[in-house]
Amino acid sequence: MKEHFNIDEKLILLSQEVLEELKEEFAEIEKIEEYNQYKIIKAMAKNELSDYCLLESTGYGYNDIGREAVEKIFSYVFKSEDALVRPQIISGTHALSLCLFGILRPGDELLSVTGEPYDTLKNVIEGEGLGSLKDYNIKFSKIELKHGKADFESIKNSINEKTKMVLIQRSRGYSLRPSLSISEIEELIGFIKGLNKEIICMVDNCYGEFVEEKEPIEVGADLCAGSLIKNPGGGIVPTGGYIVGKKNLIELCSYRLFAPGIGKNCGPSIIPNRIILQGLFYAPMVVSEAKKGALFTAKMFESLGFEVFPKKEEKRSDIVTALLLKNKEILIEFCRGLQKVGPVDSHVTPEPWDMPGYDHQVIMAGGSFIQGASIELSADAPIREPYAVYVQGGLSFYHVKLGILCALQNLINKKLIKLP
């Protein structure tokens, strides 16, 4: 590391001390990886996956048995009645939009019980003249978390006869609030269903898949959605998204993706089904590497006096670590240092830019094999106070370790931080 990337000896020694402290936590991560790996192997065996299911299809995609196998396997893994897993779903935001527009109707209300939705979902919900939920007279309200926990009293007072769907965002998004554990999601859904069992509970599962042994459908969620260029794609799926949940709701979402009355019956596998299934097979291992990297990132920055979310000792329910840098220059130079070890575009210098779907300029770093794949090592941040950067992903722990050390070395070289 010192020879190829010119990392200060003191920084390397600090990283070795940190790794010694993380041995027990790494062992716990590996136990969850093992459990989830067996679960996926069982899903593929149970559904009799064959080599002729691994090809792509063309045109309308009628009678695509490989696509059907993919969705049966996802249903088994996520313990759902049905699944919609398609390359035509381009992002997590797209998958969530299909759920919202597929199910909600004019006069209905959507209630977010985890506060402000992720930035790219705001225009979907409340954008002016964009074909948003607001344009279709679908109401929206939100309840902020209280001390990082669900505010049950406010939820009880806010649910009314118009409330058709509750949105639960598992990960922190661009905020410093904690991600929700599966046990917290279970408690929250149980409370909501106790008030009105007809309310549809939808979980934004982005960044959370295979971080724990259970998934949201197993604890009562009606719908759960995410992206295949995050955790469940294992770092090799080039595009796509998934929705899992109750069969009647999945059908409505499929009508929104394709056309009413056609839905799941069409849609060619424009990438080989092999890639989606092999990515799913790799996912527990890759998520494990990313979790180890997230712990290392948190502990390294804590050692240097920075505030991090979550802290090393706190339970994790996603692969994101927020670093509170409190300084615009430090934030930008952190991203530039991380970019230097990207396997792709390491020569590029990240700059803040007006990214579609965001209210503030955003700076991003990563150099991933798949554009925007945040299961690969990446960092991004809105250019706004308190200047927090969100680090996620890592196909290999050693890549995360190197990336963090190079980012810190860049800050040292720029005289923005000092080693103790």
Side-chain angles (χ1 to χ4, degrees):
M1 189 181 292
K2 184 177 181 182
E3 177 185 351
H4 294 293
F5 296 97
N6 201 27
I7 305 295
D8 190 286
E9 186 69 34
K10 287 184 179 180
L11 198 52
I12 294 173
L13 289 173
L14 177 60
S15 74
Q16 291 170 345
E17 292 171 11
V18 164
L19 283 176
E20 272 299 311
E21 293 182 39
L22 294 176
K23 282 184 176 179
E24 288 185 15
E25 286 85 352
F26 278 21
E28 285 301 312
I29 288 170
E30 288 164 6
K31 288 180 184 178
I32 295 172
E33 174 191 348
E34 183 177 12
Y35 178 89
N36 284 318
Q37 189 68 68
Y38 295 157
K39 177 169 62 176
I40 287 170
I41 293 170
K42 178 66 174 177
M44 292 176 176
K46 181 79 172 176
N47 288 281
E48 299 180 344
L49 180 64
S50 298
D51 62 351
Y52 54 77
C53 297
L54 304 180
L55 305 176
E56 68 269 25
S57 59
T58 61
Y60 297 122
Y62 291 140
N63 303 312
D64 185 338
I65 58 172
R67 183 188 67 215
E68 292 173 6
V70 167
E71 292 180 342
K72 286 178 182 177
I73 289 166
F74 266 75
S75 289
Y76 189 94
V77 168
F78 286 90
K79 303 296 188 289
S80 65
E81 292 179 10
D82 202 358
L84 186 66
V85 186
R86 303 297 171 100
Q88 289 86 3
I89 303 174
I90 62 168
S91 66
T93 300
H94 188 194
L96 293 164
S97 297
L98 295 173
C99 298
L100 298 176
F101 285 103
I103 293 161
L104 297 172
R105 300 291 180 261
D108 290 340
E109 181 186 70
L110 169 69
L111 172 65
S112 169
V113 294
T114 47
E116 192 75 29
Y118 185 68
D119 291 54
T120 55
L121 208 55
K122 291 177 187 176
N123 279 330
V124 174
I125 295 170
E126 293 190 296
E128 296 282 354
L130 302 174
S132 65
L133 296 184
K134 184 178 181 180
D135 289 345
Y136 283 90
N137 193 32
I138 297 167
K139 308 299 182 187
F140 173 69
S141 58
K142 63 185 178 183
I143 298 168
E144 298 294 337
L145 297 178
K146 189 175 183 180
H147 308 302
K149 304 290 183 181
D151 186 345
F152 292 105
E153 187 64 29
S154 294
I155 292 170
K156 182 179 179 180
N157 293 334
S158 297
I159 287 177
N160 58 75
E161 68 279 359
K162 297 286 188 182
T163 309
K164 186 171 184 178
M165 180 184 285
V166 163
L167 169 63
I168 301 168
Q169 183 177 295
R170 182 173 178 178
S171 188
R172 68 179 64 253
Y174 280 166
S175 74
L176 299 178
R177 66 119 170 136
S179 57
L180 296 187
S181 69
I182 287 293
S183 61
E184 288 172 318
I185 291 172
E186 182 175 23
E187 182 184 13
L188 182 51
I189 292 173
F191 179 79
I192 292 163
K193 294 288 188 180
L195 298 172
N196 183 348
K197 65 180 181 180
E198 299 303 319
I199 289 176
I200 297 164
C201 292
M202 181 181 77
V203 176
D204 174 356
N205 207 28
C206 289
Y207 301 109
E209 299 91 348
F210 310 124
V211 172
E212 298 187 58
E213 290 184 354
K214 288 185 176 180
E215 298 294 333
I217 299 296
E218 297 176 71
V219 296
D222 299 296
L223 275 179
C224 180
S227 167
L228 297 186
I229 63 170
K230 293 185 174 70
N231 301 21
I236 68 168
V237 182
T239 188
Y242 76 92
I243 306 169
V244 291
K246 291 186 175 177
K247 190 173 184 65
N248 65 316
L249 301 178
I250 294 294
E251 185 176 9
L252 291 172
C253 295
S254 74
Y255 291 159
R256 182 71 188 190
L257 177 59
F258 294 113
I262 295 177
K264 287 190 69 179
N265 293 315
C266 73
S269 299
I270 53 179
I271 58 174
N273 293 308
R274 176 189 64 78
I275 295 178
I276 293 175
L277 290 169
Q278 198 168 3
L280 180 66
F281 183 87
Y282 288 151
M285 176 186 67
V286 171
V287 170
S288 178
E289 293 291 287
K291 280 180 69 181
K292 290 175 182 177
L295 267 174
F296 175 79
T297 301
K299 186 59 183 173
M300 281 294 293
F301 272 79
E302 277 186 330
S303 299
L304 294 170
F306 288 92
E307 195 171 358
V308 304
F309 303 87
K311 294 178 173 58
K312 172 243 180 188
E313 65 273 10
E314 292 176 332
K315 184 177 175 65
R316 287 181 174 269
S317 191
D318 66 8
I319 60 168
V320 181
T321 299
L323 307 175
L324 188 57
L325 303 181
K326 297 184 179 180
N327 180 293
K328 179 179 177 181
E329 189 178 2
I330 291 177
L331 185 153
I332 290 172
E333 292 300 335
F334 171 88
C335 291
R336 288 174 175 170
L338 190 74
Q339 183 72 31
K340 291 177 181 179
V341 299
V344 180
D345 289 334
S346 60
H347 58 286
V348 171
T349 301
E351 296 285 352
W353 68 299
D354 298 315
M355 191 173 177
Y358 295 87
D359 294 334
H360 298 77
Q361 283 197 319
V362 175
I363 187 166
M364 307 188 82
S368 55
F369 291 103
I370 294 166
Q371 186 184 84
S374 41
I375 187 58
E376 299 185 52
L377 174 61
S378 56
D380 45 85
I383 306 298
R384 65 186 182 210
E385 293 183 342
Y387 299 114
V389 64
Y390 301 85
V391 184
Q392 63 266 320
L395 304 182
S396 156
F397 166 71
Y398 296 109
H399 184 210
V400 181
K401 176 185 174 184
L402 176 63
I404 294 304
L405 294 186
C406 282
L408 287 169
Q409 187 65 56
N410 192 51
L411 296 177
I412 293 167
N413 294 345
K414 299 285 183 179
K415 295 183 170 45
L416 293 171
I417 65 169
K418 293 180 180 179
L419 287 175

